[in-house]
Amino acid sequence: MHAGSRILLIICTIGIIALGSVTQVWAFEAEDLPFGFGPEGWQAGLGLSQETIRSLGLFGYEKTGIGGYLTLPGMSEEPSSWFAGHKQVFMGNIGYKLELFAGNTKRPIFSTFMTSVDPHVGAYGEVSRMYGQVGHGIAGTAQLFVNELEQFEYSISPYIQFTRQGIWRFSVSLGSAFGLGMSYAESSERIMLDIMLVNEGLSFHVLFSLTELPVKLGVGMTRDQMQAFVRYQF
Amino acid sequence: MKRYAIIFILIMAVLSGISEANGLKGKIQLDLSQPPQVEETDPVLEKYTEIMSEISITDDAYEVVEQIRTTVQDVQSIAMDVEVSEIRGQRIERMFFHLLGSMESKVVRVEFLEPSELRGYILVADQEKMESRMYQPINNQIAVRGLEDASKEVLSTLSISDLETFFDFSEYSVEVLEAAEEDEVMDYLLEVDALDEILQVRVKSDTWFPYEISVYEGDAFVGTMTISNVVFNPELSKEELTRLPEAKEVRM
């Protein structure tokens, strides 16, 4: 099957699943225009996300939604896309998240869309437990590549987390690759930072949200790639 | 809930009294063309009279209830620690929180300390703004809800801010079950028949503020609320009561 038609199939499948599961509202809450420059030259596209929040008593709520983006790199005929459906539940200091995704870019870190990944489907899960200002949790990712090798990758990342002028998280990644990670989300989520050391390769991602403009600026850097982008929300 | 029913009936009775009083203003006109009609009884007033007639309170219980009512009457702000133990099936669920409230600014602040599942949560219920704000440590966010959509837990928390009503047991049948003296301080155990539930209220004569309220439904023990470290009229500004950690707000 041609790579382009595989992507379309994945996108359509995810779309149908999402339409079936989110029947309450079918209106995208946030739309944005990602525009960036990376190893495949300039790229521009459209990002969409929709989320419904349902209250679970006094101490809990449930978020259900879909989101993703489609961009067209200047130096490639193949579009880059990543779409996911998710459910996140918080009940007191216990929370979990389940996400099913498909795309041909890496799972975005702060919406950084790195390319050069084979089309794949996957799942991300996370369970977290806080004790006031400190807590811990475990996150896991599994993805199956839709290529001749049918390659399978997974990672399990236990982490500790604490809140001090924002959320700080330190994690270890085990599985197909070994890594160490640190992430920070400022209290109002205006600045977000993620640093990961995987197999002696350092990756660095940062996202700035401008308060006075509906614009987010991001930079992503791995050992062999660097990408900067602007997302204009409308 | 019967307590709210009685309050509702009282409000209705007062309102009907006001409307009757308004009807007396202006000229009196007599319609002599029709025979005089028998005055219809107000069903609300009738129900109120019926409920009030069922209330029985002994003299010593009345004295204690009046002392409690007088104590809470002048309270403008309050700070206290509250422990709630509730029986749910085979389990006893325990919750411990620090409560601050201002009758003037109509704000209640609840800082949850136990159980660990709720440690770090802070609830601010603002009756003037008609909204509640809950800081959630799990995702470092503040959930904002309108009070019209608020759960019964938030509304019952707000009712604590109306101390005068919350601790006024004079509308119920009350009797003193125990009275013991220790170091010249009397310790009373009152039984309050709140129609659908029985409250056992412990109060000491040095503060005249209830320090333990046990709830029974019929013969079944439901739970206990223990109140400690009570401070009357501490200086609490609205800013102090409503201050939450800096975090992203999510409107529910």
Side-chain angles (χ1 to χ4, degrees):
Chain A
M1 190 187 281
H2 186 263
S5 49
R6 265 205 306 259
I7 295 157
L8 281 174
L9 181 69
I10 290 165
I11 291 167
C12 289
T13 311
I14 289 286
I16 290 161
I17 293 167
L19 273 171
S21 59
V22 187
T23 52
Q24 295 160 308
V25 185
W26 183 240
F28 287 102
E29 283 177 349
E31 297 86 16
D32 64 351
L33 293 173
F35 181 71
F37 185 77
E40 297 189 10
W42 293 100
Q43 56 179 295
L46 179 68
L48 301 168
S49 65
Q50 190 274 336
E51 197 167 55
T52 52
I53 302 176
R54 192 165 67 92
S55 187
L56 301 171
L58 181 59
F59 299 103
Y61 62 90
E62 178 189 277
K63 287 178 174 181
T64 312
I66 58 165
Y69 57 82
L70 183 75
T71 62
L72 191 67
M75 290 163 61
S76 169
E77 289 182 3
E78 190 177 305
S80 302
S81 67
W82 192 89
F83 281 87
H86 68 265
K87 176 173 260 193
Q88 193 169 18
V89 174
F90 297 108
M91 186 55 80
N93 278 329
I94 300 165
Y96 72 84
K97 182 178 183 178
L98 181 66
E99 179 183 277
L100 301 174
F101 59 84
N104 67 343
T105 64
K106 286 184 178 175
R107 187 171 181 273
I109 302 168
F110 313 141
S111 305
T112 304
F113 35 95
M114 294 292 183
T115 54
S116 72
V117 174
D118 281 335
H120 59 274
V121 291
Y124 172 84
E126 182 181 331
V127 179
S128 57
R129 174 74 160 90
M130 289 294 284
Y131 298 86
Q133 301 300 304
V134 294
H136 56 77
I138 190 162
T141 311
Q143 52 191 28
L144 179 69
F145 288 89
V146 188
N147 55 18
E148 287 76 15
L149 298 171
E150 293 188 343
Q151 196 182 348
F152 178 73
E153 280 184 3
Y154 74 98
S155 73
I156 296 167
S157 305
Y159 63 82
I160 56 166
Q161 181 174 304
F162 67 89
T163 308
R164 183 76 42 93
Q165 307 278 319
I167 295 179
W168 297 83
R169 181 181 285 193
F170 297 89
S171 62
V172 177
S173 185
L174 309 165
S176 304
F178 176 78
L180 297 168
M182 192 277 280
S183 70
Y184 169 69
E186 191 252 347
S187 294
S188 53
E189 295 182 8
R190 282 193 292 269
I191 302 166
M192 296 167 98
L193 181 74
D194 186 277
I195 301 168
M196 192 87 186
L197 181 68
V198 182
N199 291 345
E200 298 174 358
L202 186 74
S203 71
F204 172 86
H205 297 88
V206 65
L207 182 76
F208 298 99
S209 299
L210 304 181
T211 48
E212 63 276 12
L213 292 168
V215 170
K216 289 181 178 178
L217 305 173
V219 174
M221 190 179 74
T222 63
R223 191 165 48 176
D224 50 5
Q225 289 183 333
M226 186 172 167
Q227 192 164 24
F229 68 93
V230 177
R231 292 180 79 107
Y232 172 72
Q233 292 175 288
F234 61 95
Chain B
M1 293 307 289
K2 290 287 190 296
R3 178 179 295 185
Y4 297 117
I6 290 169
I7 294 165
F8 176 72
I9 290 164
L10 273 171
I11 291 166
M12 291 305 290
V14 172
L15 285 176
S16 63
I18 290 168
S19 64
E20 277 176 25
N22 286 339
L24 291 174
K25 288 175 185 173
K27 293 176 183 175
I28 297 170
Q29 292 182 334
L30 294 174
D31 184 2
L32 301 174
S33 61
Q34 299 292 325
Q37 292 183 351
V38 179
E39 193 181 324
E40 286 181 17
T41 53
D42 188 330
V44 176
L45 272 173
E46 200 176 353
K47 186 69 184 168
Y48 174 73
T49 312
E50 184 191 320
I51 291 170
M52 292 305 283
S53 65
E54 287 173 4
I55 292 170
S56 67
I57 185 164
T58 58
D59 288 347
D60 49 351
Y62 179 78
E63 196 180 317
V64 176
V65 165
E66 274 302 295
Q67 289 284 6
I68 296 170
R69 205 173 62 82
T70 311
T71 302
V72 297
Q73 208 168 24
D74 301 325
V75 173
Q76 289 304 306
S77 61
I78 196 163
M80 58 185 167
D81 290 333
V82 181
E83 183 184 339
V84 178
S85 300
E86 191 183 354
I87 293 179
R88 288 198 177 176
Q90 300 296 313
R91 292 178 297 144
I92 297 175
E93 291 193 358
R94 185 175 164 272
M95 188 187 282
F96 185 74
F97 55 87
H98 185 58
L99 187 142
L100 302 157
S102 166
M103 307 349 143
E104 192 183 356
S105 52
K106 294 185 185 298
V107 175
V108 179
R109 179 189 178 89
V110 185
E111 298 170 358
F112 293 89
L113 304 167
E114 295 290 335
S116 65
E117 286 87 350
L118 298 178
R119 191 179 303 150
Y121 272 69
I122 303 171
L123 169 72
V124 173
D126 189 330
Q127 212 167 2
E128 262 183 1
K129 281 187 176 175
M130 285 299 283
E131 71 173 22
S132 73
R133 290 151 59 83
M134 172 85 85
Y135 171 70
Q136 306 172 135
I138 181 77
N139 53 1
N140 198 40
Q141 288 184 350
I142 296 166
V144 185
R145 291 179 173 94
L147 278 184
E148 61 273 17
D149 305 323
S151 58
K152 62 180 180 185
E153 290 92 340
V154 177
L155 294 173
S156 61
T157 307
L158 266 176
S159 74
I160 297 173
S161 71
D162 190 4
L163 280 179
E164 207 175 326
T165 309
F166 196 79
F167 291 115
D168 181 5
F169 305 113
S170 60
E171 307 295 337
Y172 304 103
S173 298
V174 186
E175 62 174 306
V176 176
L177 291 185
E178 282 175 27
E181 189 177 351
E182 193 180 326
D183 299 332
E184 297 179 353
V185 175
M186 290 299 293
D187 191 347
Y188 295 97
L189 174 62
L190 303 178
E191 186 168 270
V192 181
D193 187 351
L195 302 178
D196 61 342
E197 58 190 17
I198 304 288
L199 307 178
Q200 287 195 354
V201 181
R202 286 196 176 274
V203 62
K204 285 186 179 178
S205 62
D206 56 345
T207 60
W208 291 116
F209 192 80
Y211 69 90
E212 189 182 281
I213 301 173
S214 299
V215 183
Y216 294 83
E217 278 180 4
D219 292 334
F221 175 64
V222 177
T224 303
M225 180 165 86
T226 309
I227 300 165
S228 58
N229 300 325
V230 180
V231 181
F232 292 124
N233 301 320
E235 282 192 18
L236 296 170
S237 66
K238 190 164 185 175
E239 289 72 30
E240 198 179 338
L241 285 168
T242 54
R243 191 183 301 138
L244 290 174
E246 195 189 340
K248 186 181 173 182
E249 290 192 0
V250 178
R251 195 160 281 275
M252 309 295 283

